[in-house]
Amino acid sequence: MNKATLSVFVSGTGSNLLAIHKASMEKFFPGKVKLVICNRICPAFELAKSLNYETKLISNLDIEKFEQIVQKQLIKNKIDLICLAGFMRILSPKFVSNWENKILNIHPSILPLFPGINTHKKVLSKGLKIHGSTVHVVNKKLDSGKILGQFAIPIKNKDLKTLKYEIKKYENIFYPEVIRKYIWTFILKKDKFLCKKLIKDEQIIYSY
Ligand code: GRF
């Protein structure tokens, strides 16, 4: 089976990296992880190494130098799609336009609500009854590219840590699913029907 090559960018605990890794082990998952990029030492970095992925730690550099190194690595590894998974650095407009429609991100809010950081805190302080995450294509503006899918869950427990944990639990199921569909339709272009459906702006919406 022809598979797309993925690079996962991380800075955090790595639960989404692990979820993508597990999905990619399935016979019919249309992508395989080839390269993990980290911008700081973090659990996700250790995880990537323990999974035997080619892992590049590129820290303490300005964004231009950082992206130059990253670009070389992406080309060398013939990467088709970049998946940001808790990556805490804003990519430059130049980099984003070089990889137009080839960078996905998972953001922990129901966009367009709460772009940026501290989303769980903001949701709780507004007293909302639901929370969720969004997978979107990365464009030049923060957290505002085309939405590919979202899920929502009821907030049962108002403890910040618990909410964060709950959201991640569903993200780990949801992100690989959206990646699967995106690769299938837009990278390998196998599913013309779904491709049309997504282009028409019908997003994948789940309510758990
Ligand atoms: C996730 O909640 C994701 O939505 C956000 O950062 C977090 C990363 O978590 N962008 P992990 O490192 O994948 O566990």
Side-chain angles (χ1 to χ4, degrees), residues 12-17 85-87 105-108 120 133 167-168 171:
T13 60
S15 71
N16 284 292
L17 169 64
F87 182 65
N105 181 38
I106 184 155
H107 177 77
H120 311 291
S133 285
I167 288 291
K168 275 197 195 181
E171 283 187 340

Side-chain angles (χ1 to χ4, degrees), residues 128-143:
L128 296 192
K129 297 220 163 32
I130 60 165
H131 187 23
S133 285
T134 302
V135 178
H136 65 93
V137 177
V138 173
N139 68 4
K140 292 177 190 170
K141 224 175 131 207
L142 186 69
D143 300 327

Side-chain angles (χ1 to χ4, degrees), residues 10 39 43 47 69 102 114 129 164 167 173 179 205-206:
V10 293
N39 68 327
L47 172 71
I69 299 174
K102 299 279 166 59
F114 311 116
K129 297 220 163 32
K164 214 171 173 178
I167 288 291
I173 304 166
I179 293 172
I205 298 184
Y206 289 81

Side-chain angles (χ1 to χ4, degrees), residues 178-195:
V178 181
I179 293 172
R180 182 200 305 271
K181 290 198 173 97
Y182 193 79
I183 295 175
W184 205 247
T185 54
F186 291 110
I187 307 290
L188 302 177
K189 301 194 169 78
K190 295 273 188 204
D191 189 334
K192 293 211 173 89
F193 173 73
L194 191 63
C195 188

Side-chain angles (χ1 to χ4, degrees), residues 29-143:
F29 190 83
K32 56 176 185 301
V33 180
K34 257 203 116 184
L35 174 69
V36 178
I37 300 285
C38 311
N39 68 327
R40 62 186 183 208
I41 293 176
C42 55
F45 172 64
E46 300 302 333
L47 172 71
K49 285 194 298 180
S50 74
L51 295 172
N52 291 321
Y53 286 129
E54 180 163 352
T55 306
K56 296 285 166 211
L57 174 67
I58 310 160
S59 58
N60 301 323
L61 285 182
D62 65 41
I63 195 70
E64 208 179 316
K65 288 197 187 108
F66 171 84
E67 287 175 348
Q68 275 169 10
I69 299 174
V70 170
Q71 178 72 8
K72 272 193 193 146
Q73 290 299 324
L74 296 170
I75 301 295
K76 188 178 137 209
N77 285 283
K78 297 193 170 72
I79 296 302
D80 297 310
L81 182 69
I82 297 167
C83 300
L84 307 184
F87 182 65
M88 297 304 284
R89 206 159 182 192
I90 298 173
L91 297 164
S92 74
K94 187 175 163 220
F95 184 88
V96 172
S97 71
N98 280 339
W99 290 89
E100 196 181 4
N101 293 325
K102 299 279 166 59
I103 312 176
L104 306 186
N105 181 38
I106 184 155
H107 177 77
S109 81
I110 305 169
L111 289 171
L113 293 177
F114 311 116
I117 57 171
N118 295 330
T119 59
H120 311 291
K121 224 181 186 170
K122 289 175 189 162
V123 163
L124 287 176
S125 74
K126 292 268 176 208
L128 296 192
K129 297 220 163 32
I130 60 165
H131 187 23
S133 285
T134 302
V135 178
H136 65 93
V137 177
V138 173
N139 68 4
K140 292 177 190 170
K141 224 175 131 207
L142 186 69
D143 300 327

